[in-house]
């Protein structure tokens, strides 16, 4: 059973930074692509960044140049470094192995103006 534990969220002022972490278990982490998603109140969950098993990355246009996804296969952990945060980045952030239908509890990110 896949388990995902997200952490690192919090309240930050616009322009600030946060680093999210997601520890995964129950799967062969190193061979799976991973994604970070977010869901703002009243909006659909969206994919904001993904990283392949070999480290290739993709970003939503809204976060390109501000967010960086990375992974540590030795720790079964994927990270999301978020810089230059904006109020519109406020959401619950989730990680998920690409192709799986498993979700963690998410971590709340709130950006004040």
């Amino acid at each position: 059973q896949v388990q995902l534990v997200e952490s690192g969220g919090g309240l930050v002022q616009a322009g600030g930074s946060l680093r999210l972490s997601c520890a995964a278990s129950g799967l062969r982490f190193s061979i799976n692509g991973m994604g970070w998603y977010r869901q703002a109140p009243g909006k659909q969950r969206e994919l904001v960044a993904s990283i392949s098993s070999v480290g290739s990355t993709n970003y939503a246009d809204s976060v390109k140049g501000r967010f960086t996804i990375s992974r540590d296969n030795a720790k079964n952990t994927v990270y999301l470094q978020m810089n230059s945060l904006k109020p519109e980045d406020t959401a619950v952030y989730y990680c998920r192995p690409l192709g799986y239908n498993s979700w963690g509890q998410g971590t709340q990110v709130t950006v004040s103006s």
Side-chain angles (χ1 to χ4, degrees):
Q1 182 178 358
V2 176
Q3 292 189 322
L4 304 157
V5 180
E6 300 95 341
S7 62
L11 173 62
V12 64
Q13 289 189 330
S17 298
L18 285 172
R19 188 192 194 207
L20 307 184
S21 299
C22 170
S25 60
L27 76 165
R28 291 182 61 189
F29 181 83
S30 64
I31 68 170
N32 281 279
M34 296 293 297
W36 277 101
Y37 299 74
R38 69 185 180 188
Q39 187 167 21
K43 295 189 176 181
Q44 288 190 330
R45 195 169 296 185
E46 62 173 346
L47 177 65
V48 296
S50 63
I51 185 167
S52 74
S53 60
V54 296
S56 299
T57 58
N58 281 288
Y59 299 93
D61 288 344
S62 58
V63 306
K64 203 169 291 184
R66 300 188 298 121
F67 290 12
T68 302
I69 188 171
S70 61
R71 63 190 298 158
D72 185 338
N73 290 338
K75 296 182 178 180
N76 284 9
T77 299
V78 61
Y79 303 97
L80 187 67
Q81 177 68 43
M82 306 187 296
N83 299 329
S84 303
L85 282 161
K86 304 176 180 180
E88 51 264 43
D89 294 318
T90 295
V92 179
Y93 284 72
Y94 304 86
C95 72
R96 192 185 74 166
L98 301 182
Y100 282 71
N101 190 27
S102 299
W103 298 98
Q105 84 288 349
T107 186
Q108 175 71 48
V109 172
T110 303
V111 184
S112 63
S113 58

